[in-house]
Structure formats: structure tokens, C-alpha cells
């Protein structure tokens, strides 16, 4: 899989975002960031960003957070399968430097992939059997 971040790898419409918010199947959380995800029917993951001015005041910080998120996503997309992912910023995310942001995103991708695989395993195992 290439390291591109083309239009195919983005959540573009409000309906795409609504589908993730309403149908979240796995998530990863930290004090400064929340990742929500759901399985899509495509062959690649897609990314959406919600970096609110309320939580990250300066535009330069919001843009830096988004740029690093997209770059990190490009490098870790093979780990993420076919998920639609929305990143939600929390207060204080803009205070991190670039190295801390890269480390945070790397950890969040790993945790999200583990959550998604755990969810997939539980769905594939079927209903619990009763050995009564």
C-alpha cells in the first residue's frame, strides 16, 4: 500500500462524519485526543479531523496538528485496515511540540488497531455457548 493521502483517504461529507459519530465500533482515548472509528466497506482507511477552535485557539497550532495527523496516518494506514476514523482534539493538544504529537499519534494508531482487531475477533467468535 502506498503512502499517499489522496481524496480516497479522507472523510469528505457531513454524512461520512455522521456515520462515524453515530456508528462508532471502536475508539482510542487519551487526555488530549479521542479517536472514533467504524468499519467501512472500502479497501482502505479514511481519516477525518475535528480540531475545534474552542480547544486549540491558534490557527497555526490547529494546522500543525492536522498536518502531523495526516502525515502520521499516511505512515500507519496499513495498520488500520478498512476503518473510517475521526480525530477529535481536546483542550491542551496545541501545547504539544511536533515530536510529542508524532509519538501521541503513533500510540493512538496502535491502540485503535488493537481495539478494532479485538472487536473483530469478538464478532467472529459468534454468540457465547452455554455449557449448562
Amino acid at each position: 500500500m502506498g503512502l499517499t493521502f489522496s481524496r480516497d483517504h479522507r472523510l469528505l461529507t457531513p454524512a461520512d462524519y455522521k456515520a462515524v459519530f453515530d456508528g462508532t465500533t471502536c475508539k482510542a482515548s487519551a487526555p488530549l485526543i479521542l479517536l472514533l472509528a467504524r468499519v467501512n466497506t472500502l479497501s482502505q482507511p479514511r481519516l477525518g479531523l475535528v480540531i475545534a477552535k474552542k480547544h486549540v485557539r491558534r490557527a497555526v497550532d490547529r494546522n500543525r496538528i492536522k498536518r502531523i495527523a495526516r502525515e502520521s496516518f499516511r505512515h500507519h494506514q496499513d495498520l488500520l485496515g478498512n476503518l473510517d476514523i475521526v480525530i477529535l482534539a481536546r483542550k491542551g493538544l496545541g501545547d504539544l511540540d511536533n515530536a510529542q504529537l508524532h509519538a501521541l499519534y503513533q500510540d493512538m494508531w496502535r491502540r485503535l488497531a488493537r481495539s478494532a482487531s479485538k472487536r473483530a475477533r469478538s464478532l467472529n467468535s459468534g454468540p457465547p455457548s452455554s455449557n449448562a
Side-chain angles (χ1 to χ4, degrees):
M1 185 178 292
L3 292 180
T4 63
F5 187 68
S6 64
R7 194 169 170 84
D8 301 346
H9 293 92
R10 301 178 194 158
L11 295 178
L12 297 172
T13 65
D16 292 338
Y17 281 87
K18 184 171 175 28
V20 175
F21 286 126
D22 292 346
T24 299
T25 57
C26 53
K27 59 184 169 182
S29 179
L32 300 177
I33 195 168
L34 173 66
L35 274 63
L36 303 174
R38 74 185 289 263
V39 176
N40 66 30
T41 58
L42 306 171
S43 61
Q44 77 269 352
R46 297 189 303 171
L47 179 68
L49 300 163
V50 179
I51 314 297
K53 187 190 263 189
K54 176 180 178 181
H55 298 301
V56 183
R57 295 298 300 165
R58 295 178 356 157
V60 67
D61 291 331
R62 290 193 302 275
N63 292 335
R64 181 175 56 88
I65 289 167
K66 291 187 281 189
R67 185 181 67 247
I68 292 171
R70 289 188 294 263
E71 180 183 349
S72 181
F73 175 78
R74 280 187 323 106
H75 289 283
H76 293 91
Q77 64 187 344
D78 57 338
L79 177 73
L80 300 170
N82 60 335
L83 294 173
D84 283 347
I85 304 164
V86 174
I87 295 177
L88 294 158
R90 293 180 173 162
K91 192 171 274 310
L93 188 62
D95 299 334
L96 299 180
D97 65 17
N98 290 356
Q100 291 170 320
L101 278 171
H102 278 289
L104 176 65
Y105 285 127
Q106 184 174 356
D107 180 51
M108 297 308 287
W109 300 133
R110 185 181 49 76
R111 290 169 56 188
L112 186 64
R114 187 173 21 181
S115 173
S117 68
K118 187 183 298 185
R119 169 109 170 116
R121 279 195 308 263
S122 70
L123 290 176
N124 291 338
S125 67
S129 62
S130 62
N131 296 335

